[in-house]
Amino acid sequence: MRCLAIALFLLNSAFCIAQKAEFSVDKAVFSFPKTKEGPVISHDYIITNTGTIPLIISDYKVSCPCTKAVLPEPIPPGQSAVLHVTFETKGKYYEQDRAILLSTNTKKGTEKVRFKVFVIPQDE
C-alpha cells in the first residue's frame, strides 16, 4: 500500500511539474511619440498565456512611482488580457526608458515590459 501511495505521489508530481503558465506579450518594448511634459500617458500591453495553467501576475516593480500598472486577473491558457501602464510626465525630461518587472507564476518567475518616451520640457 505504501508503494502505491509513493507511486501516485510521484506521478502526480510529474504531472504538476509539466504544467506551467507561459508569458507572451504583443510588444515588449513600446515607444511613445515625443510628448510635452505634463500629461499622464498610458499604454495597454496585450499579454497572452501560451501555457497550460492560468497565468498569474501577482505584483510589479518599477524604479519610480511615476510609473503605475493595473494588473489583469489570472489569464486562462490560450487567452489574452490587458496590462495597463501609466507614466506621469510632469517633472520628467528628455529620454525616458522605463521597465516594469512583473512577478508571475511562469518558470522564470519574473517577466518584463518596457516603454520609452522623449519628454519635451514645458519651457522649451
Side-chain angles (χ1 to χ4, degrees):
M1 186 64 159
R2 184 174 176 182
C3 290
L4 180 61
I6 292 172
L8 286 174
F9 173 76
L10 291 175
L11 184 61
N12 187 39
S13 296
F15 180 71
C16 290
I17 290 170
Q19 291 186 341
K20 59 185 174 178
E22 292 186 26
F23 180 96
S24 177
V25 62
D26 62 335
K27 192 170 185 180
V29 180
F30 178 78
S31 294
F32 286 99
K34 287 184 178 181
T35 303
K36 193 84 163 166
E37 176 197 359
V40 174
I41 56 178
S42 65
H43 177 69
D44 290 336
Y45 295 89
I46 305 300
I47 308 297
T48 302
N49 178 6
T50 57
T52 56
I53 64 171
L55 170 62
I56 299 169
I57 303 173
S58 57
D59 199 8
Y60 71 95
K61 291 182 181 159
V62 291
S63 61
C64 171
C66 57
T67 304
K68 298 190 180 348
V70 177
L71 304 177
E73 295 293 321
I75 306 168
Q79 299 293 310
S80 298
V82 171
L83 170 70
H84 183 74
V85 174
T86 59
F87 177 67
E88 172 65 61
T89 64
K90 185 173 180 159
K92 305 295 179 272
Y93 311 107
Y94 307 113
E95 194 64 43
Q96 302 292 312
D97 187 344
R98 304 294 170 150
I100 300 101
L101 300 176
L102 304 166
S103 298
T104 68
N105 65 330
T106 61
K107 185 176 182 179
K108 292 192 298 185
T110 303
E111 303 291 339
K112 177 170 72 169
V113 295
R114 288 177 42 210
F115 67 85
K116 298 178 181 186
V117 61
F118 187 90
V119 180
I120 303 164
Q122 279 291 346
D123 57 357
E124 287 187 16

